[in-house]
Amino acid sequence: MATPQSESSYELFYWPTIQGRGEFVRLALEDAAIAYSDVARLPKERGGGVEAIFRVLDGNGGGGRHFAPPVLRHRGGTEPRDFVVSHTACILDFLAVRSTRHGLLPEADPGARHTALQLQLTIADLAGEAHETHHPIAASLYYEDQKDEAHKRSATFLRERMPKFLGYFEAVLRENKASNKEYLVGAGFTYVDLSAFQAVTGLAQAFPNAFDRVRKDTPLLCALAERVAARPKVAAYLGSPRRLAPSTNDLFRHYPELDP
Ligand SMILES: N[C@@H](CCC(=O)N[C@@H](CS)C(=O)NCC(=O)O)C(=O)O
């Protein structure tokens, strides 16, 4: 198998300098050892750069128009051929269903697909609200231009919404544990566990004080995140240059003033 950064039949189109929503896809590709190109991180001479993202959004990637990255292109497959898909949850569902040998969904349980998708869409909602903590008015404005609103938005997010989201995933894990299941989808490990790791890690990094306050109420979720981080392929990825460092350009951002 080629290394994940080499040319391959899977191509991810995502902003090259941030983890963002692309990271949910990167983690799935890495854990499943699916070879892929992170196209916008390639040099322009090799078809990379952010221009590659705009080409695929504009429908010049061979798979219709797409609203926003991440976008995944699968080239030269047998079924379906040259497929292009956007929206994080759709991409993960596509990857998981396309080949159960990737191990992103349990083979035996057809119901697991929709349980996984429903959980992943809840993570998408959480990601959207986390973004609003620093961009409550408009993504097109600088954080500095919406700081007052960001204070108010992050206060309610940290007081009400983050505990509700994390408490929900904790309750799912608690119920699964009662029947000796250790992952978010009862039937076994799925891509949702990888995304939950990313959400927990992102929130803990962005809001260390607020996260410390919910940690005691979410022991199973925190333990799941640790187990995911220790998966050999995930651990190798996290220690590699492919894993981008957190920053104040990212989806999960640490601004000390928003995390009293
Ligand atoms: N629902 C989409 C949201 C995609 C999204 O918001 N992408 C961001 C980057 S993480 C973006 O570049 N959006 C541009 C825009 O909405 O105009 C998903 O889950 O993938």
Side-chain angles (χ1 to χ4, degrees):
M1 162 134 350
T3 57
Q5 202 68 5
S6 69
E7 305 292 344
S8 76
S9 60
Y10 283 98
E11 295 167 314
L12 172 66
F13 296 82
Y14 192 70
W15 305 119
T17 55
I18 61 167
Q19 296 180 11
R21 289 178 177 83
E23 200 64 11
F24 298 113
V25 181
R26 292 188 183 114
L27 280 165
L29 291 162
E30 295 277 351
D31 184 76
I34 299 170
Y36 68 100
S37 294
D38 205 336
V39 181
R41 292 179 72 181
L42 296 172
K44 268 191 196 174
E45 313 80 75
R46 291 175 59 201
V50 292
E51 293 79 359
I53 301 175
F54 294 117
R55 278 196 295 275
V56 85
L57 294 181
D58 288 346
N60 297 320
R65 285 185 175 270
H66 294 270
F67 185 74
V71 180
L72 186 80
R73 179 163 64 189
H74 181 233
R75 306 194 89 149
T78 45
E79 194 52 53
R81 296 188 74 84
D82 288 4
F83 194 70
V84 187
V85 58
S86 56
H87 281 280
T88 310
C90 284
I91 294 170
L92 292 169
D93 178 65
F94 169 74
L95 277 174
V97 170
R98 218 203 133 262
S99 177
T100 44
R101 89 190 141 75
H102 291 333
L104 296 169
L105 263 183
E107 220 166 325
D109 184 346
R113 176 181 181 183
H114 288 97
T115 305
L117 197 47
Q118 161 222 305
L119 288 161
Q120 188 64 38
L121 287 166
T122 310
I123 293 177
D125 290 344
L126 166 59
E129 292 197 28
H131 184 265
E132 286 172 4
T133 61
H134 48 81
H135 277 79
I137 301 296
S140 54
L141 294 175
Y142 290 112
Y143 163 65
E144 286 70 22
D145 297 327
Q146 45 194 320
K147 250 180 146 172
D148 291 346
E149 294 86 353
H151 263 104
K152 289 184 192 150
R153 184 72 186 91
S154 51
T156 55
F157 176 76
L158 297 179
R159 193 174 59 242
E160 298 164 10
R161 301 297 285 171
M162 187 170 87
K164 182 169 181 177
F165 277 111
L166 299 185
Y168 166 72
F169 292 117
E170 181 73 15
V172 170
L173 286 168
R174 196 164 48 241
E175 277 160 24
N176 289 348
K177 195 178 176 191
S179 33
N180 293 319
K181 315 281 190 193
E182 52 180 348
Y183 295 108
L184 280 162
V185 176
F189 174 81
T190 66
Y191 62 81
V192 179
D193 300 303
L194 298 165
S195 292
F197 156 78
Q198 178 64 12
V200 165
T201 307
L203 290 171
Q205 181 273 322
F207 305 107
N209 295 329
F211 194 86
D212 266 354
R213 293 193 287 275
V214 295
R215 195 185 293 276
K216 64 177 181 344
D217 300 323
T218 56
L220 297 174
L221 184 59
C222 290
L224 174 72
E226 278 174 29
R227 289 207 310 280
V228 168
R231 288 171 70 83
K233 300 246 168 22
V234 174
Y237 169 62
L238 297 179
S240 79
R242 297 189 300 283
R243 171 76 165 182
L244 294 160
S247 77
T248 48
N249 291 318
D250 218 309
L251 172 63
F252 297 107
R253 297 187 188 186
H254 178 56
Y255 290 117
E257 64 273 22
L258 298 185
D259 181 39

